């Protein structure tokens, strides 16, 4: 802990510094590659929507042991139920003794017929949940509405708080970056998209923005009165702000990710499937992406946009001119030293008073 504290203190004082702003092209390239991969995964594979979005019937069967053999028995039972509309079901184990079976939309009589077939195949108890496709559409519509309202409020808030529209743009870009990456992970992994997933996506918006606003607040503090300063440029002060908040960002992210990782492990590894797993995956990926974007994307983008302002260009020129002058000053003194060698001449030689030896002096002393 002592070394971490010392390291954090050195980062805060600028004695140790990572060049996040200066190497922004590298971070942009990494993010662009990840975002393109996520977009391709979404376009090629698409989302695995849950029954809440596409409509259908979800059967929950209690069995003695939930494993692949029991799941195969449940699939065979559905296909042998005499209900053609229930063919090709989606089967998932949930915990040690539960199997979830999802089919397309069925009538109540057809659902009852499938339940009877499952009980005949060994299920001790079967519950059914008929979900219409309108429920999923309502969830998606409300989520989209909430997202739009959230983004509008955030743009107004950041602009009003920091008095800087460039920070609003950078914050929105970072949020979009996090959402696309999270969506791409869902498309690649094939995890089911449920209303719990939508809840997780809306939650990570707030977390990602919180981390970004903390760094922006430090940037504003460091760049206060920057136009009259000739010590550091805006980009250098912004980079110092990221370094000063780096340890805090890492600590809070690890603290937040550890319990979410525990939820993900329990949800996916122990319980098998369900809203806990859907929520935890969205939170885990979104929080990790949010930490990355607040450090590597948002602040470097703000600095890049500010560098295009004429006033900032002039301030940066003054800083560079001062540094050039300071660097050349010791060289000029060193070069001037040999030229200051004094040439002695007889005219410039001072006449020193002469005194007689003590033996020749009189009692008067001279």
């Amino acid at each position: 802990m002592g070394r971490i504290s010392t390291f954090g203190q050195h980062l805060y004082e600028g004695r140790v510094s990572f060049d996040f702003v200066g190497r922004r092209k590298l971070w942009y390239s990494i993010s662009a590659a990840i975002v393109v991969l996520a977009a391709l995964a979404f376009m090629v594979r698409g989302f695995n929507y849950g029954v809440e979005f596409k409509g259908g019937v979800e059967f929950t069967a209690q069995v003695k042991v939930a494993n692949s053999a029991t799941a195969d028995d449940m699939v065979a039972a559905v296909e042998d139920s005499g209900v053609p509309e229930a063919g090709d079901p989606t089967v998932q184990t949930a915990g040690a003794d539960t199997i979830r079976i999802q089919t397309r939309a069925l009538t109540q009589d057809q659902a009852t017929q499938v339940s009877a077939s499952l009980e005949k195949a060994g299920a001790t108890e079967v519950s059914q949940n008929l979900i219409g496709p309108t429920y999923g559409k309502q969830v998606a519509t409300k989520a989209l509405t909430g997202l739009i309202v959230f983004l509008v409020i955030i743009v107004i808030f950041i602009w009003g708080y920091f008095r800087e529209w460039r920070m609003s743009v950078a914050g929105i870009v970072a949020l979009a970056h996090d959402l696309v990456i999270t969506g791409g992970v869902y498309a690649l992994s094939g995890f089911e998209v449920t209303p719990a997933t939508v809840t997780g996506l809306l939650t990570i918006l707030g977390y990602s923005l919180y981390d970004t606003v903390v760094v922006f607040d430090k940037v504003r503090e460091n760049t206060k009165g920057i136009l009259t300063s000739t010590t550091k440029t805006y980009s250098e002060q912004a980079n110092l702000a990221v370094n000063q908040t780096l340890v805090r960002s890492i600590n809070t992210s690890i603290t937040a990710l550890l319990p979410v990782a525990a939820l993900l492990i329990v949800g996916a590894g122990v319980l098998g499937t369900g809203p806990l797993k859907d929520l935890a995956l969205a939170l885990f990926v979104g929080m990790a992406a949010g930490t990355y974007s607040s450090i590597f994307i948002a602040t470097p983008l703000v600095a890049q946009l500010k560098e295009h302002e004429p006033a900032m260009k002039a301030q940066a020129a003054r800083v560079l001119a001062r540094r050039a002058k300071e660097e050349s000053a010791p060289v000029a003194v060193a070069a001037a030293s040999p030229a200051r060698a004094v040439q002695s001449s007889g005219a410039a030689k001072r006449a020193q008073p002469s005194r007689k030896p003590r033996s020749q002096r009189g009692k008067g002393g001279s």
Side-chain angles (χ1 to χ4, degrees):
M1 291 300 294
R3 292 183 178 180
I4 296 177
S5 301
T6 304
F7 179 68
Q9 186 65 26
H10 288 176
L11 284 173
Y12 193 87
E13 295 173 352
R15 285 185 280 176
V16 177
S17 178
F18 298 100
D19 192 6
F20 296 106
V21 175
R23 305 183 69 183
R24 57 176 172 259
K25 291 183 179 179
L26 175 62
W27 319 132
Y28 291 169
S29 301
I30 294 174
S31 290
I34 297 175
V35 168
V36 169
L37 179 63
L40 287 176
F42 173 72
M43 290 187 290
V44 175
R45 295 174 59 92
F47 287 140
N48 178 23
Y49 288 106
V51 68
E52 295 87 352
F53 286 97
K54 57 187 180 184
V57 182
E58 181 178 272
F59 298 92
T60 303
Q62 300 293 326
V63 295
K64 293 181 180 178
V65 179
N67 51 31
S68 58
T70 312
D72 292 339
D73 293 341
M74 295 297 107
V75 173
V78 173
E79 293 176 347
D80 295 340
S81 63
V83 180
E85 293 81 357
D88 193 20
T90 301
V91 180
Q92 296 174 322
T93 59
D97 58 355
T98 304
I99 294 178
R100 294 174 60 197
I101 305 106
Q102 294 180 358
T103 68
R104 291 188 290 270
L106 304 174
T107 64
Q108 183 59 60
D109 293 338
Q110 291 173 327
T112 304
Q113 191 173 340
V114 172
S115 296
S117 181
L118 291 173
E119 291 177 350
K120 190 182 295 182
T124 57
E125 182 180 351
V126 178
S127 62
Q128 53 184 256
N129 185 18
L130 282 71
I131 303 173
T134 55
Y135 174 73
K137 291 181 180 178
Q138 290 176 354
V139 172
T141 302
K142 290 183 178 179
L144 182 61
T145 304
L147 177 62
I148 294 174
V149 172
F150 176 83
L151 293 178
V152 172
I153 294 175
I154 288 305
V155 169
I156 296 174
F157 168 75
I158 295 179
W159 178 84
Y161 183 72
F162 293 106
R163 299 292 181 183
E164 180 57 74
W165 64 267
R166 294 165 184 82
M167 289 187 174
S168 296
V169 172
I172 295 301
V173 170
L175 285 178
H177 169 274
D178 302 340
L179 287 177
V180 172
I181 290 178
T182 306
V185 170
Y186 263 88
L188 282 173
S189 64
F191 273 44
E192 204 171 59
V193 176
T194 66
T197 305
V198 177
T199 304
L201 289 174
L202 294 177
T203 304
I204 64 174
L205 293 178
Y207 181 86
S208 174
L209 188 67
Y210 167 75
D211 218 24
T212 302
V213 167
V214 169
V215 181
F216 282 178
D217 199 43
K218 194 63 182 175
V219 172
R220 183 181 64 167
E221 179 183 332
N222 287 358
T223 57
K224 189 175 182 180
I226 188 73
L227 293 177
T228 59
S229 173
T230 57
T231 56
K232 289 185 178 180
T233 65
Y234 187 95
S235 294
E236 291 169 344
Q237 291 287 14
N239 191 69
L240 177 62
V242 178
N243 279 278
Q244 288 174 329
T245 56
L246 181 62
V247 174
R248 174 215 155 272
S249 298
I250 293 175
N251 288 340
T252 54
S253 299
I254 292 176
T255 305
L257 285 173
L258 284 178
V260 175
L263 287 177
L264 182 60
I265 293 172
V266 171
V270 179
L271 299 180
T273 184
L276 189 62
K277 181 201 67 175
D278 304 331
L279 178 65
L281 180 64
L283 289 177
F284 187 85
V285 177
M287 286 181 176
T291 303
Y292 173 84
S293 64
S294 65
I295 297 173
F296 295 94
I297 301 299
T299 305
L301 182 57
V302 169
Q304 183 178 6
L305 293 175
K306 290 291 290 185
E307 285 176 355
H308 288 82
E309 289 185 6
M312 290 299 169
K313 289 182 178 178
Q315 191 269 343
R318 290 196 298 272
V319 172
L320 296 178
R322 176 182 175 179
R323 290 176 183 172
K325 185 178 179 181
E326 290 177 349
E327 290 176 358
S328 61
V331 177
V333 170
S337 297
R340 295 179 59 186
V342 178
Q343 300 294 330
S344 60
S345 64
K349 188 176 181 179
R350 288 184 62 182
Q352 297 295 328
S354 59
R355 302 185 66 181
K356 295 179 180 179
R358 185 178 295 272
S359 58
Q360 299 177 6
R361 296 178 193 170
K363 291 184 179 180
S366 60

